Amino acid sequence: MFNQSTTKNQRHSFVVGVEYGHENLFLELELGTFHTTPLHAQRIANSVNSIILLKDHMVVIFKNADSITINDDFLKQAYKFRVCIKPKLPPLELSVLTHQEREEFIRNQAYIVTEEDMKEVSWDIKTAFHYLQQEYEARDQSHFLFTPSSSYVIPLSTHVQQEVQHATY
């Protein structure tokens, strides 16, 4: 019989990734498939500190100060870009709102971005970089810092885990 602590510490295979964004451009980066515990898989997802998009590559900086460089020749399959197609609304100064107005704003669907508002694009790194330069009139900007949006830990099914295990022997 399984109890919660036994199940929590069991190792399984997980696909781990993060999503980072800059304005209306989002980057989904798959960190890999890991055979570990659920808690450690989440720690892996949370280990990314920041992502910097440069003209022809990205740098992923981890919280332990390690980094990796991704370009279109190396790890191209590990990332994809999505663009928010929802029309932008003007910024709102929250400090002038009453408590009731703030509560209404939080529930205002016009400011909430959903999956339906996102469009996947098959861009390489250079295209994404030029898009941000043009979209935000930042032609002289040498890099764009992406900020955390979300992370994911997806358990692989037992059947897939067995296939992966057999493939590695």
Side-chain angles (χ1 to χ4, degrees), residues 49-143:
N49 188 45
S50 59
I51 299 176
I52 301 170
L53 177 68
L54 296 126
K55 185 176 183 177
D56 57 0
H57 64 282
M58 289 183 282
V59 178
V60 181
I61 302 171
F62 296 92
K63 290 181 180 171
N64 66 359
D66 285 344
S67 67
I68 60 169
T69 300
I70 299 174
N71 62 37
D72 287 325
D73 297 328
F74 177 67
L75 293 178
K76 167 65 175 144
Q77 73 285 353
Y79 70 85
K80 61 184 172 186
F81 290 102
R82 295 186 310 156
V83 175
C84 179
I85 56 175
K86 189 171 195 165
K88 279 187 184 179
L89 294 173
L92 189 60
E93 180 57 50
L94 295 177
S95 64
V96 298
L97 299 179
T98 66
H99 178 71
Q100 179 64 31
E101 289 171 328
R102 279 189 213 139
E103 291 296 318
E104 290 173 14
F105 169 74
I106 290 170
R107 291 191 265 325
N108 187 337
Q109 293 298 312
Y111 283 92
I112 298 173
V113 175
T114 64
E115 278 297 316
E116 292 78 36
D117 299 323
M118 303 298 284
K119 176 185 170 194
E120 190 171 318
V121 291
S122 56
W123 290 349
D124 60 11
I125 292 169
K126 288 179 183 176
T127 304
F129 181 81
H130 290 299
Y131 167 81
L132 288 175
Q133 280 188 317
Q134 292 173 351
E135 184 76 8
Y136 300 102
E137 297 177 3
R139 298 190 204 299
D140 59 344
Q141 193 155 344
S142 62
H143 68 280

